[in-house]
Amino acid sequence: MKRRQLRRRRRFGADLVGIIAASSVAALLAVTTFAQSRGSITTSLTDERGARVANADVRLVFPNGIQLSTRSDLEGAFEFRALDRGDYFLEVNAKGFAVAAERIRLDQGEVKHLRLELRVAGVNESVVVTATGLPQRSEEVAKVLSAIDSRDIDDRRELTIAEALRSIPAVRVQQQGSPGALTTVRLRGQRNFDTSVLLDGLRIRDAADINGSAVSLISDLVPLAVDRVEILRGSGSSIYGTNAIGGVVNLVPSLPAGNFHLDLGMEGGGLGTFRERIQGGGGRDRFAYSFGLSRLDVRRGVDGEDQYGNSAGAGRIQFNPTPSITIAGNFYGTIANARLNDSPFALPAAFGSPESFPRAVPGVTFQPDFNNPDQGRRNRLLVGAFRFSQRLNEMFSYTIAYQRVLSNRRNYNGPAVDPRFATFVPFGDFEFLSANRGTTDTVDGRLTVRPNRANHLTVGFELEFESMFQQSIPSFSAFNNTTDKQRTFAVFGQDQIHLLDDRLQFSVGVRAQFYRIRAADRPGFLNAIRAENSVTADGAVAYFFRSRGTKLRAHVGNGFRAPSLFERFSEGVFPNAGFVRFGDPTLKAEQSISVDGGIDQRLAGDKVLVGMTYFYTRLQRVVGFTGFSVDPLGLGRFSGYVNEPGGLSRGLESYVEARPGRGTEIRASYTYTNSDRSTTTRGLIPEYVIPEHLFGLTVKQSLRSLLISLDLNRTGSYIGPVFENNFPFRLAELTFPGYTKVDLFGGYDSRVSERVTATFFAGADNILNQKYFENGFRAPGIVGRAGVTFKFR
């Protein structure tokens, strides 16, 4: 067995070396045959009064996603040289102006001179990639996608990626306690593990997570060296694979250009919060880079002892031997330590109420979380990726990428008990140490073909190798210190079709996913049973009425979630069988079907954008943990993981974006969601944690050097699960009231010298000091913060 594994690893290594070698040879050939008949794009930027716009960030995006970056000079000019014939996307982002995006057609050897006028009032038009895996202008996208750029995140002084997502339509963010506590992101009424998290289009997740998702990582993700965050709502599995049932959150790394620049920031405030951050980057000719380092400390937390520390680093390096070749590397890592409270528990009144879902009243129906002196977690995440892209000609281009994700989680508890809460643990506390390590290696290859201007065909493959290590002290199982693995292989294809002068666009895609599990991990007769494969399909259409500024769109597709290693191989103790696994190695993947349709409308000369979408998702098959009198696997178990029917969610999401005047930005959203889960005894009942009503409002106003940013988020009432703290550990389903969270920050720019600017800022999260509980965990009240950032340009 070990020899076979060694041979497989050697074959995989040889294949990978072969791929890299072939790519390198192709790059060398391309460099040596560099043609002199290539064209260029030169542009000058002005505002609506004709004044030059200097120091604007400019991106030229190739049809296959290759990007070149530069900055406009003091005259507002910039140039991209040695370009092949074809279509390109040009995106310009300058402070104080709406983001502009243009599609450009360049003929062979053509020197194209453009003059772009930037508007101080107008809705942003960015180039996005997450909807289809290929670049598109935001107004052309048939799926529902939102983008938050790094400047917006900085203006709102967000400490984490999750907090930045609160105002996005149909996004439910829940933080269970102080910063560093479990944080979840749910899209369109789906479960917390139905959101796929990507870094530069490649999936990052914890292979040792109970559901094989990114849930255990989200609490520690911070905005660092990130250009933007793109949020795709609706199924995305045909392109991005597992977990993309509710949608996708893609972190797009920053790639600055021009002279070296550096940002140094420091801040402090309530809860004993301190953050230090350094970010920078630059580029010359064919080379560009960005980097970031940050340290976040919460030295007190909600109850004075909820300490949290997070050290993070991120970076990107990009080299372009020719304008048609990109060699890029990404890195993202966090090391976090958090002190955790004991979980809230249900009180007797929660079970004596005649209501199906009694009101959650602290001290009456539930006891909120309480301090535990020696319970906590230590998490480590390391992500490294390499990508080689080449545009062979106007018709063919390809990309080869490799990524490794390493996660290391340790949850622990000691014997100490807080004397104030000793009555809650009369028999003392349970000591334990749980260690979980996950490794995911991914190889992704894509070939893009443009047989004509109307079609954009992509075919590709994905290889994924997962490994999970489990350790428990004390251990009640013979399977302690185990390592389990699975391999998956996928092939996928997609065709984007543009008709009627790009007014009509639609895409179709399909993906087949194959699972391979070692025979040694399939006990007994399961040796002969293989895991069932997954097939998903996707289709989207959009029609744009340019004269009216109206876009109609619709989307239908499947989503899937591969059974996690824990669901396949977790272990337990059973009376008749002794030490056996309660996982099922032959579980079928979860599968869903989703539909959405809506309209986007531009008004008032592109100063206002409104939209509305109806969505519906049904979980056709899920993986659930249940008890049974007869073990379907015949292993003597009385409970375990099985496939069963899932639930459904449906609702309406709407938004308004407006830039009515110079320096004013307004975004508002409202979402109604009716989400139900399926139970064997009660049928469909409301899904946990999902409120019917979500409302978000963001207002930014700049007055010369002063910027005011306000975030208001209203979360409606929802049903949350709370267990008893004594046997038989009954479950209470309580209705937690809604709450309104308002964050307000102001910043002032002061010019220190010609190249140095200082930004002083102050404000507070939850400025209304709302007292609320998330699943029984007390949320922070008002938390003031202030700091300064020095920008060297």
Side-chain angles (χ1 to χ4, degrees), residues 48 558 624 790:
E48 294 167 309
N558 297 120
F790 294 96

Side-chain angles (χ1 to χ4, degrees), residues 378-395:
R378 299 188 183 108
N379 283 13
R380 184 180 68 190
L381 168 68
L382 296 174
V383 183
F386 165 85
R387 188 189 299 270
F388 180 94
S389 303
Q390 182 177 11
R391 185 173 186 260
L392 299 174
N393 51 48
E394 187 178 6
M395 183 178 295

